[in-house]
Amino acid sequence: GDSVTQMEGPVTLSEEAFLTINCTYTATGYPSLFWYVQYPGEGLQLLLKATKADDKGSNKGFEATYRKETTSFHLEKGSVQVSDSAVYFCALQTGANNLFFGTGTRLTVIP
Amino acid sequence: NAGVTQTPKFQVLKTGQSMTLQCAQDMNHNSMYWYRQDPGMGLRLIYYSASEGTTDKGEVPNGYNVSRLNKREFSLRLESAAPSQTSVYFCASNRGTGPDTQYFGPGTRLTVL
């Protein structure tokens, strides 16, 4: 079945460090891929998405490229800030209503 | 700009008690969803409603019932709560057309003793 495997956390970085959170997927069709972010005490909100192979999603300095050949959608940011501390979820969607989430990666950025 | 609202924010139940979690959205979305979030397991879909008047089971529906009261509201009911239902519950909504962003509520933290 469809699934998402996400890098285990937690991840702790110093401010201005480079961030990579790995995400790979298994899907029978041609999924759309998402990164959602959950700030402390809040619900999830969309960070970025890509709907077809080779698309790059970007938002707030974060980027991820839909790689069909490696079935991956790794999240990157060149210089993290303390305000980026949150839990990040990779997700895939194969139909109108089927959204599958990874287990989440907690990021803590220290000044 | 209310978006998706959920009530209550926190709840403590005893085993066997019942309760209903309420969810409402003001974005005129067709589809609504209930998820549970447990440590180390991400979010899992309990039930969803693709459109007003329809509901379908998700990955973990056992022990829950839902009602799509109208286009705005989608409630989740626990008829006889069990400790295994201790979790954080999120409601979400979207237009329901293709790969569409889901918008999440702030969550309900439920503890069953």
Side-chain angles (χ1 to χ4, degrees), chain A residues 1-4 25-34 36 50-52 66 71 90-101, chain B residues 33 35 45 48 94 96-102:
Chain A
D2 297 340
S3 66
V4 173
Y25 68 88
T26 301
T28 52
Y30 299 94
S32 294
L33 300 173
F34 303 80
Y36 281 83
T51 58
K52 61 183 187 296
Y66 188 161
T71 62
C90 185
L92 72 84
Q93 186 167 1
T94 55
N97 302 111
N98 296 332
L99 189 62
F100 296 93
F101 286 90
Chain B
Y33 310 82
Y35 293 90
L45 184 64
Y48 68 97
N94 67 0
T97 54
D100 189 33
T101 302
Q102 291 190 12

Side-chain angles (χ1 to χ4, degrees), chain A residues 72-107:
Chain A
S72 66
F73 192 56
H74 304 322
L75 182 68
E76 296 182 337
K77 186 175 185 183
S79 177
V80 294
Q81 304 301 312
V82 172
S83 58
D84 294 327
S85 298
V87 181
Y88 293 82
F89 292 91
C90 185
L92 72 84
Q93 186 167 1
T94 55
N97 302 111
N98 296 332
L99 189 62
F100 296 93
F101 286 90
T103 55
T105 301
R106 181 177 299 278
L107 170 67

Side-chain angles (χ1 to χ4, degrees), chain B residues 42-57:
Chain B
L43 275 75
R44 293 181 292 167
L45 184 64
I46 304 171
Y47 271 94
Y48 68 97
S49 170
S51 60
E52 186 178 355
T54 69
T55 61
D56 285 285
K57 295 178 180 179

